Amino acid sequence: MIDFSFQNPTRIHFGRNALEQLPKEVERYGKRVLLVYGGGSIKRTGVYDAVMQKLGNVNAQVWELAGVQPNPRLSPVREGIEVCRREQIQLVLAVGGGSAIDTAKAIVNGACYEGDVWELYEGKGTNETALPLGVVLTIPAAGSEMSRSSVITREEDLCKRGRNAFTNFPTFSILNPEYSFTLPPYQTACGIVDIMAHMMERYFTMVENVELTDRLIEGALVTVINNAPIVMAKPDDYDARAEITWAGALAHNTLLDTGRVGDWASHKLEHELSALYDIAHGAGLAVMFPAWMKYVLPRGGARKLAQFARRVFAVGEAFATDEEAANEGILRLEAFYRSLGLPTTLGEMGIDGSRIPEMAARAVAMMGGRLGGFVPLDAPMAEEVYRLAL
Amino acid sequence: MIDFSFQNPTRIHFGRNALEQLPKEVERYGKRVLLVYGGGSIKRTGVYDAVMQKLGNVNAQVWELAGVQPNPRLSPVREGIEVCRREQIQLVLAVGGGSAIDTAKAIVNGACYEGDVWELYEGKGTNETALPLGVVLTIPAAGSEMSRSSVITREEDLCKRGRNAFTNFPTFSILNPEYSFTLPPYQTACGIVDIMAHMMERYFTMVENVELTDRLIEGALVTVINNAPIVMAKPDDYDARAEITWAGALAHNTLLDTGRVGDWASHKLEHELSALYDIAHGAGLAVMFPAWMKYVLPRGGARKLAQFARRVFAVGEAFATDEEAANEGILRLEAFYRSLGLPTTLGEMGIDGSRIPEMAARAVAMMGGRLGGFVPLDAPMAEEVYRLAL
């Protein structure tokens, strides 16, 4: 285990009645509220009306920034910062999934930073404070509701940048698993893959003696795998949705990082994919993670992959060597993704190999020439991972 | 899963170099520091000198409250509050285990409460704020370093009261597993039992559909059970100490409560035991927990006890029914405690049954007539649990 510091200040309100806590939270921070959300889904499902009613109960004054897209873009962020400054916003409230939340995170930080907000994502500037940020989560997937991460794409060059910062932790997050009942199956499936990827990126580490966090991650993965078929078959199963919702928040809240260094190569490789082809992050991960596993298996990854296979997918003694167990684990992970209705190859998503060198070069360059902590990849190696995904 | 709110603001600095963070923390809160600690052990081990050196580095002005005892008492708390008020203390720093930390928690809260501090423990008063509280942990056991709990005993009637409050969360905690290298084996063992008990009290719930937290607790229990024999055999094994130290903090930090209701009967029954006989809390738990399990097994507890046995102690198919598996799990838990050199009966601790009715009555009365959430106990039932421990 390596030395670490850990703190996660986000206040979670979880359950069927979680939204009841919103008025008290608004009164705590201020009634000039900027609402950030995506398309019309929160209006169709009634979440928008429910939130507006709670805001109305405390006579909040509400500004709206609507139309946030998946793989959220920089220009709405700039627009939101402008509103915050002009209207002296006291609380930014994101209603939605990772895109709305990541946009809102960029806004609350950018509003307290004198320079251009993109500098924060380029690591060229930093801010000490941020505006209070509330979340009403509708899509368990990105884990942004309890994380210090935010990912934004700059439109002009499709440059996708993540930023980790303490000021990115939401002040409070409202998690009602019922809000995910109406998600289309594809989106539910993509969310499940994203949640599992957040756990697995942390799981695959070369740091030794991390039994506690290994076992916590394994338990969380098994829980998601057990509850996934339930929510796919019965979208309004509260209990299964609740397991996946809470797992999704814990997956990315930095607790499972403690004492270890994650890998994150699969995420970076996928970021390039979704930046260029605008595919869903979860679908891209269902393709890239198994490909990455196949690549690292014979390059020092067998032991940990075998532990993953045995403890998470209950791969038994019939697969005696680490290599055999690891291979079987990858097959079962792919089969699990396919059972959710997701592709596990680039070809199935209509993506050919023509832009692989470009994506590999960009992914590696962004990380300073070395991608991932488990088996570090240079650009030619990253290309091979993409090819394994074809 | 039931609705919940969750927040744990404590900042953790963990590892061999964790104490390096102390000067920065002191500068954040103020240099008028009250140091709270127990006997001479932190002076023998060098932890006192190391802490004083770090405080000296930032020219902190230090007051000392030494001599805090196990099962900490009310009078040092009152003394500490007096010092805080008189000397305008800005940071209370507990150096030690649960006793020093719980004393410091009572002090930081009491210093911001106008009435008598004991009222806070009797639930007759409340405080909105508390002084900043820092911790340098030397004994992984109580979990107080990351919890909202504090337990204090009033001397005159040996009344032992716990208080849970948000203002009890330490502001920061420094956890260096090396500090536990010098613990006597008995104290190491008692700590392990206490940590496991914090997990098991939460584990045994009648709330259904709590798979995620069930599995997190199981993973944490297995980790402690795997690392316990290592630290007993080799007290300076850093990696095993680190697993137990971090598990000890997570055991009690309220994450493992989310969505469920714990039991806590064993803890309350043990509190009466240690209040009357002044035995170590961990040793008392090694006696009371198996006795409680035997009592609840035939009273609705078989299914969850069997899950515990199968997942935590790998009780196999040879024990086909839930009852058989549960029984075997209890036997293995007792055997594990004995392997740590601990008693598993009251008799071994020289305690007879003469004060059982008194202890049962007090334990149940303190909880308003009903003890525990898994199988609620009245006073005659609590007496039976004590008798099973004889």
Side-chain angles (χ1 to χ4, degrees), chain A residues 285-362:
Chain A
L285 285 167
V287 173
M288 293 314 302
F289 227 114
W292 173 84
M293 286 176 163
K294 289 170 197 168
Y295 186 79
V296 299
L297 196 164
R299 292 172 178 81
R303 190 163 61 102
K304 197 77 187 230
L305 276 162
Q307 180 184 306
F308 168 82
R310 290 173 178 135
R311 295 194 192 164
V312 176
F313 280 105
V315 168
E317 290 172 7
F319 302 87
T321 69
D322 280 354
E323 284 69 20
E324 286 166 339
N327 264 316
E328 177 64 15
I330 299 170
L331 292 176
R332 293 193 191 181
L333 180 65
E334 287 182 313
F336 173 75
Y337 288 158
R338 283 194 299 273
S339 77
L340 304 178
L342 292 177
T344 55
T345 64
L346 291 173
E348 291 167 86
M349 295 197 293
I351 298 172
D352 63 20
S354 59
R355 300 185 76 173
I356 283 178
E358 179 188 349
M359 291 191 292
R362 279 169 58 126

Side-chain angles (χ1 to χ4, degrees), chain B residues 122-139:
Chain B
E122 284 181 312
K124 291 180 181 162
T126 187
N127 56 307
E128 289 296 308
T129 59
L131 292 178
L133 168 63
V135 169
V136 177
L137 183 73
T138 61
I139 310 172

